Amino acid sequence: MLDLKALIFPFPNQPYAMKKYVSLLALAVVGFACQPPAEETVDYTAMSDAERLEAAKEIAHKTIMVDGHVDLPYRMKVGGFTLQREILDVSVRTPDGNFDFPRSKEGGLDAPFMSIYIPAGNQQTPGASKALADSLIMMTERLASTFPDKFAMAYSPSDVEANFAKGLISLPMGMENGSGIEDDLSNVEYFADRGIRYITLTHGKANLIGDSSYDTVRLYNGLSEFGEQVVKEMNRVGIMVDLSHVSDETFKDALAITKVPVIASHSSARKFTPGFERNMSDELIKAMAENGGVVMINFGGSFIDSAYAAGSSKVREHLVNYMAENNLSRGDSAFKAYAAEYTAANNPFPTVQKVADHIDHVVSLVGIDHVGFGSDFDGVGDSLPTGLKDVSMFPNLIAELLKRGYSEEDIAKICYKNVFRVWQAVEDYAASQS
C-alpha cells in the first residue's frame, strides 16, 4: 500500500532536509500554478470550408510568405516602364497580370522574388544579356524608391523580417538565366553586389554555363567547365544556386559541386507530368533534400497537370473556329463574353487541389523541410489554376493544406522558413570565405 505519510514527509528525523524539501515542494507547486495553460491545438480539418478559409487568411497575414519567382520586372518592361514615369503602376490594383501591391497584401505575400528574366534569344548578342539584367534590376530598385511606403528592397532574410515588421512588401531579386554573367566570371560578384540573391543557371536554351531542360541540344551533357567555376563562385559570394530550367545532368553536376544547399525557385513534381524534364523527378527531389535544398512549387498549368495542355488546346481551337464562323475578332465584346462563358463551362485549368498534390508528393518523399512556393506569377500567362489566378489567392492554397492536416508550423516552413534556412546557409558560407 502507498505510504502517503512517507511521501509527504520523507525526512522525519532530519529537520534541515525536511525544511529544504518543504521549500522545494512549495516552489514546485507555485511554479506549476504559474505555468500558462497549454496552447490548444486547432483541428483545422474539422472546420467548414468557410471557417478554414478565414483561418488561412489569418495565418497568411501573420506569417512571412516568400514566393520564389514572380516575373514582374519583365512585365514592367513589356508594359512600358521607364525611368521618367511608371506606365505600369503596381502600387495600385491593375486590371491584368497576377501581381500588384493591393492584391499582394490581400493574399499575405510579403517577399516575392523579383525575376530578372533574360530570354535565351539575348544570348546571341554579346553583352545583351547583362545589359537587360542591369535594366531590370534598375526597374525593380526604382519601384522600391518610387513607392517607399509600399515596397522595399531585400538582400537577406533579416531584411525581409525588418520590412515585414513595417508592413512593406520586400523585393528580393533572382536572375533567371545565368547568361547575364556572359563569359566573365567576375560578373558573378558584380551581380551579387547589385543585389541578386539567386541565379537560375540556364533558361530555354543551353548557355555558357550548362544544358537546359527545354533544349534538345546537349552541348556539355551537364555543366560546362565554365559552369563549374560559376557554381563555385556563386557559393563564394553568397548567391543561391537555382536549378529550375536545367537539364537533369546539369542538376546532378551542380549538386556534386556546390558546398551549400540549393533551390529550385519555380519547379514542380515530374510525377504528375511524365516526360516533362522541366519538372523535377523523384530522384532529383531526393538528391536536393540530401543537399538540404528546397523545391518551390510552380503554379503554371503545364507544370501542375499534364492534362492541361490538351484541354486548353481544345478550348483554344473551338474559340478560333467560333471567331471565324461569326466574323468576330478577339477584341469584340461579343467574343469576349462568349469566350468567358465557354471557358468556364469547359474549364481546362488545374485546381488548387492539384497544386497541393505536388506539395504533398514532395513532403511524402523527403519531408516538410524541403518545399516552398514558387508560383511563376506574371510568367505563365493565363494557365494558372482555378482559385490561384493571382497573388491575392494564396489563402485558398493554405486552406487546402490545412484541410489535409498541415499544421501552422508546417505552413510557416512552406511559406518562408525552408527557403530562409537555405538563404542563410548560403550567406553564412560566403561570410566564412571572406
Side-chain angles (χ1 to χ4, degrees):
M1 180 181 291
L2 180 65
D3 187 346
L4 294 178
K5 183 177 180 181
L7 179 65
I8 298 172
F9 302 109
F11 309 108
N13 300 313
Q14 301 177 48
Y16 176 77
M18 179 65 183
K19 183 177 180 181
K20 184 175 182 182
Y21 174 78
V22 170
S23 298
L24 291 172
L25 183 62
L27 285 173
V29 171
V30 171
F32 178 80
C34 292
Q35 288 293 317
E39 187 173 325
E40 186 177 344
T41 302
V42 179
D43 184 2
Y44 294 105
T45 64
M47 292 181 172
S48 69
D49 288 345
E51 291 170 334
R52 193 162 37 243
L53 181 58
E54 288 306 309
K57 290 177 181 177
E58 182 179 341
I59 291 170
H61 286 96
K62 72 180 183 182
T63 305
I64 294 174
M65 190 188 299
V66 177
D67 186 330
H69 195 89
V70 174
D71 274 295
L72 178 66
Y74 200 77
R75 178 182 159 213
M76 290 193 296
K77 170 182 166 54
V78 172
F81 187 104
T82 68
L83 289 183
Q84 287 70 43
R85 66 189 181 99
E86 291 68 46
I87 296 173
L88 177 62
D89 184 358
V90 293
S91 71
V92 297
R93 192 177 300 273
T94 55
D96 53 16
N98 312 126
F99 174 90
D100 53 47
F101 179 81
R103 286 184 287 175
S104 194
K105 277 294 186 182
E106 287 171 19
L109 177 59
D110 305 294
F113 265 90
M114 295 286 98
S115 171
I116 305 304
Y117 164 55
I118 304 168
N122 283 52
Q123 297 168 194
Q124 307 306 314
T125 306
S129 291
K130 181 175 182 293
L132 177 58
D134 281 331
S135 174
L136 296 180
I137 290 170
M138 186 168 55
M139 288 181 188
T140 305
E141 293 171 337
R142 176 74 177 202
L143 182 62
S145 63
T146 302
F147 305 106
D149 59 329
K150 294 180 172 66
F151 301 106
M153 301 304 296
Y155 307 109
S156 65
S158 59
D159 286 347
V160 175
E161 290 172 338
N163 292 337
F164 177 74
K166 297 174 186 175
L168 301 174
I169 303 295
S170 289
L171 301 177
M173 295 183 293
M175 186 164 72
E176 186 180 22
N177 194 351
S179 67
I181 297 168
E182 303 285 348
D183 59 354
D184 185 350
L185 193 64
S186 69
N187 279 331
V188 177
E189 186 167 13
Y190 168 82
F191 280 115
D193 292 341
R194 291 299 314 271
I196 294 296
R197 290 301 176 261
Y198 74 67
I199 294 177
T200 318
L201 298 184
T202 69
H203 194 256
K205 294 286 184 182
N207 59 20
L208 296 177
I209 294 171
D211 295 330
S212 162
S213 62
Y214 281 135
D215 198 346
T216 56
V217 175
R218 301 297 159 100
L219 296 180
Y220 319 102
N221 292 316
L223 283 176
S224 67
E225 290 185 11
F226 179 67
E228 293 176 359
Q229 293 178 308
V230 167
V231 170
K232 292 176 182 177
E233 183 68 357
M234 289 170 67
N235 285 178
R236 187 186 73 81
V237 302
I239 295 178
M240 289 181 280
V241 176
D242 176 20
L243 299 182
S244 288
H245 280 286
V246 303
S247 70
D248 286 4
E249 293 306 314
T250 303
F251 196 111
K252 293 172 185 177
D253 284 353
L255 281 183
I257 291 170
T258 183
K259 301 296 184 183
V260 290
V262 301
I263 63 169
S265 68
H266 58 306
S267 295
S268 300
R270 198 179 301 170
K271 170 185 168 64
F272 302 97
T273 57
F276 186 38
E277 191 178 2
R278 173 65 178 80
N279 274 347
M280 289 175 59
S281 69
D282 288 1
E283 177 191 7
L284 295 184
I285 292 170
K286 290 176 181 177
M288 175 174 275
E290 290 176 6
N291 158 269
V294 178
V295 53
M296 309 183 80
I297 300 300
N298 191 312
F299 298 170
S302 59
F303 291 82
I304 295 302
D305 188 358
S306 58
Y308 167 74
S312 61
S313 293
K314 289 180 181 179
V315 169
R316 194 160 44 244
E317 181 181 359
H318 174 85
L319 293 177
V320 168
N321 290 336
Y322 180 85
M323 277 193 293
E325 292 166 3
N326 293 274
N327 197 28
L328 295 171
S329 69
R330 291 190 180 277
D332 291 333
S333 58
F335 171 73
K336 289 182 178 179
Y338 178 82
E341 181 181 354
Y342 183 84
T343 303
N346 299 272
N347 186 1
F349 301 106
T351 61
V352 170
Q353 288 74 25
K354 286 283 188 180
V355 179
D357 287 347
H358 284 254
I359 294 172
D360 274 352
H361 182 65
V362 174
V363 172
S364 70
L365 278 179
V366 296
I368 192 65
D369 296 324
H370 304 285
V371 67
F373 297 142
S375 68
D376 213 349
F377 279 136
D378 281 336
V380 287
D382 61 358
S383 75
L384 290 157
T386 301
L388 272 178
K389 294 296 187 184
D390 62 44
V391 293
S392 72
M393 299 184 183
F394 270 107
N396 291 336
L397 179 53
I398 293 175
E400 178 61 27
L401 295 174
L402 293 174
K403 187 175 184 177
R404 297 182 183 207
Y406 286 73
S407 68
E408 283 195 43
E409 176 61 18
D410 293 336
I411 301 298
K413 287 185 175 183
I414 296 169
C415 284
Y416 79 101
K417 288 186 176 181
N418 290 341
V419 71
F420 268 23
R421 171 178 51 77
V422 173
W423 194 353
Q424 192 62 56
V426 172
E427 282 200 345
D428 291 346
Y429 179 83
S432 74
Q433 302 303 297
S434 59

